[in-house]
Every structure is written in C-alpha cells, then in structure tokens.
Amino acid sequence: MNPNDDRKKFTTVVAPYLADAHAFARWLTHNRADAEDVVQEACIRAFRALPRFSGPNARAWLLTIVRNTAFTLLKEKKAAALVGLDELSETDRFSVERGNEGDAAGSPEAALIAAADAAKLEAFIAALPAEFREVLVLRDIQGLEYREIAGITGSPIGTVMSRLARARHRLIARMK
C-alpha cells in the first residue's frame, strides 16, 4: 500500500471509533493521561496492522488493540489492580463517555441529582473486579455484542455472559 492509501484506510477504519477507544481506555486506566497514551499507542499499532485488517468490525478490532495496549501499559507501571478514579468534572465525564447527550439536563437541581447518581454509579463500577468491569463497560456502555466482547477479551461467550451477569448483580446489590 502507498502511504496515502494507508491514511485513507486509517481515516475510514480507525478514526470513527476514536471516541469509543478513548472512553474504553479511561475505564480501564482510570486516568486521563494514561488513557491518552493508550489510545495514541493503540492508534500506532492499528496503523501498522492496517494491511492485515480485513474483518467486518473495525470497532471491535480497535477496542481489542486498546485493551491489549492498556493492559501492557498497566503491567509496565506494575499496577497491582485497576483501582481508583482520577478526578473528572461532570462536564468532562459526560463529554468523554456520552458525547453531548449530557447537555439536555433539565433544572439545575435535576442536573445536580443526576450528577450525584452518575458519580455513585461510576464509583460502584470502578469497585468491580477488572474482569467484571471490563465486560460491563464493553456491553452496557460501549454497546458491543457478546461475540465481540468474547473476541476482545479472549474469553468464551459463556464466560462473558457469566461475568456480565455477576457484574450487574453486584451493581444492583450495591445500589440498594
């Protein structure tokens, strides 16, 4: 391939999913700077692997690269576990994870209550073990199918479904 073809393919295969990649990296690393590093490295890896990409689902392919890159970064940093959240304003959180959907809030009181609820839910999700949090984020936040999640995590579909059910059960129990 010539370099212009590589750029065009990157623009059509990878670029549309960069926001999803960044949001997923944020959930995995819980750190804005690390997430940016992960996405940047994942983009480099994806660009290098473009000639070998021929699959139907570029989003799942990119998120697999992001996952592997994040775990490599965390391993290099010798992180014992994926814990803690870096401090984000509600505006940043909504813009990173939900695009501009958060702009449609009603009254200031409703926005404050929604922000508090979102912060609680995010804390509950962050407290989940990594294997549960990962499938929950990929399914319920990123909207991927079980088969795609299985491909990304390298786990059987049954394991994905089990982890998702256990993650949801733990969240519900904590929210009561």
Side-chain angles (χ1 to χ4, degrees):
M1 277 187 144
N2 92 36
N4 287 335
D5 290 343
D6 287 345
R7 287 187 193 106
K8 287 178 186 175
K9 191 169 182 180
F10 184 88
T11 301
T12 59
V13 172
V14 176
Y17 305 110
L18 288 176
D20 292 339
H22 190 266
F24 186 44
R26 286 293 310 268
W27 278 105
L28 292 174
T29 64
H30 293 296
N31 181 291
R32 181 183 299 175
D34 287 346
E36 290 170 0
D37 290 345
V38 165
V39 171
Q40 182 176 10
E41 178 63 26
C43 284
I44 292 168
R45 290 180 183 186
F47 187 78
R48 289 180 182 149
L50 272 176
R52 295 185 306 276
F53 175 74
S54 62
N57 194 335
R59 182 177 183 221
W61 177 72
L62 178 62
L63 292 178
T64 300
I65 295 170
V66 168
R67 176 187 184 267
N68 294 337
T69 304
F71 287 156
T72 299
L73 175 82
L74 292 168
K75 192 181 297 181
E76 287 172 358
K77 287 188 159 208
K78 296 182 181 175
L82 300 173
V83 294
L85 292 171
D86 69 336
E87 297 303 316
L88 261 188
S89 71
E90 284 300 312
T91 305
D92 287 345
R93 188 173 294 127
F94 284 127
S95 67
V96 168
E97 295 173 4
R98 294 174 190 87
N100 292 326
E101 293 174 17
D103 295 342
S107 69
E109 294 84 9
L112 187 60
I113 291 169
D117 288 345
K120 261 201 304 198
L121 179 60
E122 186 171 322
F124 291 156
I125 292 171
L128 290 171
E131 64 273 7
F132 295 161
R133 181 176 59 244
E134 177 179 56
V135 295
L136 183 80
V137 168
L138 287 170
R139 176 71 183 140
D140 292 341
I141 296 175
Q142 294 291 335
L144 296 177
E145 296 177 14
Y146 295 121
R147 183 177 300 122
E148 295 170 317
I149 297 168
I152 290 170
T153 62
S155 303
I157 290 177
T159 301
V160 169
M161 293 170 71
S162 172
R163 287 178 180 171
L164 183 60
R166 291 168 66 192
R168 287 174 176 165
H169 178 72
R170 286 183 182 201
L171 278 180
I172 290 167
R174 298 250 354 237
M175 294 170 81
K176 287 183 179 181

